[in-house]
Amino acid sequence: MKKASLVFCCILALAAWMSWVPNANAFSGFYTTNCAGCHGATATCNGCHAHGVHTDSTKSDINVAGTTDKQTYAPGETVSVNITGGYRTGWIRAILYDQNMVELARSTGPAGIGGGPGYPITLTAPAPAAAGTYTWNVAWYGNQFDASGAFFGPRWTPDPNNPEHGQEIVSTNSFTVAVTPVPTPSIALNPASLNFGSILTGGSATLTTLVQNTGTADLSITAIALCTGTSTEFTWSPPAPFTVTPGSSQTLSVAYAPVDTGTDTGCLNITSNDPVTNPAVLNLTGSGVTTPPLTEFDFDIQKFMATKEIKLKEKGKANSVNFHLLLFNEGTGPGTSTATLVGMQNGNQVYSETINVSVPPAETVMFKFPPFRPTVLGDITWTVTVVDNDADVDQATAVTTVRQ
């Protein structure tokens, strides 16, 4: 009887001991039991959903993240994405996708024993070729044996070809692909046409235009030639080739020397490395006459005045340069034409305005150009050119000193 009681007590003690042993839900032998058959003897904890995806054992969040090494890339430049997550160590599979969920890179092969490093993992791929803003995606791939009661992200994707496995997918930060503009030249003619009016045969007149480079690379003028059908009574200087740096200009002088009566019209083709306007066309017109027209007007510049000295700012307000042009008509008739004012400062054109001018015969009229507010220090050289229908060229200059 005593022996039977002893056996019964032992059975009770064993049952009590067995009931005290905790559930073996996730421990070092878990990998050996469930994973080693496919993945080999080297154990990992990150391969389980909770350990590789969550912050801690509460399994209540998703902390897989992918961060690019920069915010802006050139087309095709290498983008490095740092992938982090989990709260255990060991090999895992990380995958990098583009904005369309096309796989770009992964840290292990698709089957077999797996492998690869533990967190953090860096995967790389070329940036898109097109400019824009992009958001890529990263994924942790593993099994969900340890996912009991775990929170799954909205983009958890089971693997239909591998039971109990799948991906936890999250977006990276956004980044920009910026296409750096290629420096290019851009030609502009100011003015784009020259009207010589009536010139006595055997005489000549010269007018000028500015060949401007409004682009970001050197403008190479490779050739200047008369358009088809243009009279050789038009000539020019300087000859090509010459170079105009970005933001600067070159004066091109065109002479008209009629040898007979009649109107001559045509143009100059100015060939350059401008990829858009090539050639640039300077239109020309003039008439050869044997006697001055009865209503010929001849504008002479009596005086051209520009503010001589100006402070860049005074009492917090910007100051303006003012202009006055006095024209006298020595001709026999009234005339209406144009006056062009150009300002050059530190090698750059800072001002260009053209106004209409009309002066009765034997009278003087004053004209004003729009004022100019300088933004930098340095002397500004002003050149005013008045077009009329006599043979001489009417130009005048003035200088404004801009100081602090």
Side-chain angles (χ1 to χ4, degrees), residues 130-203:
T133 300
Y134 297 87
T135 301
W136 283 358
N137 302 275
V138 296
W140 167 94
Y141 181 96
N143 70 62
Q144 54 178 334
F145 286 125
D146 187 40
S148 176
F151 170 73
F152 284 77
R155 299 175 68 187
W156 164 257
T157 306
D159 186 347
N161 300 313
N162 192 9
E164 302 297 333
H165 289 70
Q167 301 179 64
E168 193 71 64
I169 304 171
V170 298
S171 299
T172 68
N173 58 284
S174 296
F175 62 90
T176 301
V177 175
V179 177
T180 302
V182 177
T184 54
S186 180
I187 191 172
L189 302 177
N190 187 17
S193 61
L194 299 177
N195 186 345
F196 292 86
S198 298
I199 306 298
L200 290 174
T201 57

Side-chain angles (χ1 to χ4, degrees), residues 116-130:
Y119 288 122
I121 293 173
T122 299
L123 297 179
T124 62

Side-chain angles (χ1 to χ4, degrees), residues 81-357:
V81 180
N82 188 54
I83 305 172
T84 57
Y87 66 100
R88 289 288 189 265
T89 60
W91 57 257
I92 61 171
R93 180 188 301 169
I95 306 174
L96 175 64
Y97 296 99
D98 70 4
Q99 68 280 1
N100 298 315
M101 288 302 295
V102 175
E103 183 176 327
L104 300 175
R106 61 170 58 194
S107 64
T108 68
I113 63 171
Y119 288 122
I121 293 173
T122 299
L123 297 179
T124 62
T133 300
Y134 297 87
T135 301
W136 283 358
N137 302 275
V138 296
W140 167 94
Y141 181 96
N143 70 62
Q144 54 178 334
F145 286 125
D146 187 40
S148 176
F151 170 73
F152 284 77
R155 299 175 68 187
W156 164 257
T157 306
D159 186 347
N161 300 313
N162 192 9
E164 302 297 333
H165 289 70
Q167 301 179 64
E168 193 71 64
I169 304 171
V170 298
S171 299
T172 68
N173 58 284
S174 296
F175 62 90
T176 301
V177 175
V179 177
T180 302
V182 177
T184 54
S186 180
I187 191 172
L189 302 177
N190 187 17
S193 61
L194 299 177
N195 186 345
F196 292 86
S198 298
I199 306 298
L200 290 174
T201 57
S204 68
T206 301
L207 296 177
T208 63
T209 188
L210 291 175
V211 180
Q212 300 172 322
N213 182 2
T214 60
T216 55
D218 284 354
L219 174 68
S220 297
I221 305 300
T222 55
I224 301 176
L226 294 171
C227 301
T228 302
T230 301
S231 171
T232 57
E233 295 165 316
F234 295 103
T235 58
W236 63 91
S237 66
F242 56 83
T243 299
V244 184
T245 57
S248 62
S249 61
Q250 168 67 51
T251 298
L252 180 67
S253 298
V254 180
Y256 174 54
V259 297
D260 53 14
T261 60
T263 299
D264 295 297
T265 60
C267 59
L268 287 180
N269 279 333
I270 302 175
T271 305
S272 70
N273 60 339
D274 183 328
V276 178
T277 305
N278 194 20
V281 177
L282 178 65
N283 292 305
L284 307 172
T285 185
S287 297
V289 295
T290 55
T291 58
L294 295 177
T295 58
E296 179 180 357
F297 61 94
D298 181 5
F299 292 165
D300 286 339
I301 300 174
Q302 283 196 334
K303 184 178 290 187
F304 169 60
M305 296 172 291
T307 305
K308 291 184 177 181
E309 187 174 282
I310 192 173
K311 289 185 177 180
L312 195 61
K313 285 188 177 181
E314 192 168 11
K315 296 182 179 180
K317 295 183 179 180
N319 292 318
S320 297
V321 180
N322 297 306
F323 312 97
H324 295 85
L325 174 66
L326 290 176
L327 293 182
F328 177 72
N329 185 357
E330 291 187 352
T332 58
T336 299
S337 189
T338 59
T340 300
L341 178 62
V342 174
M344 301 292 295
Q345 184 181 34
N346 302 324
N348 298 317
Q349 181 178 306
V350 296
Y351 183 95
S352 179
E353 292 286 346
T354 298
I355 61 174
N356 292 324
V357 291

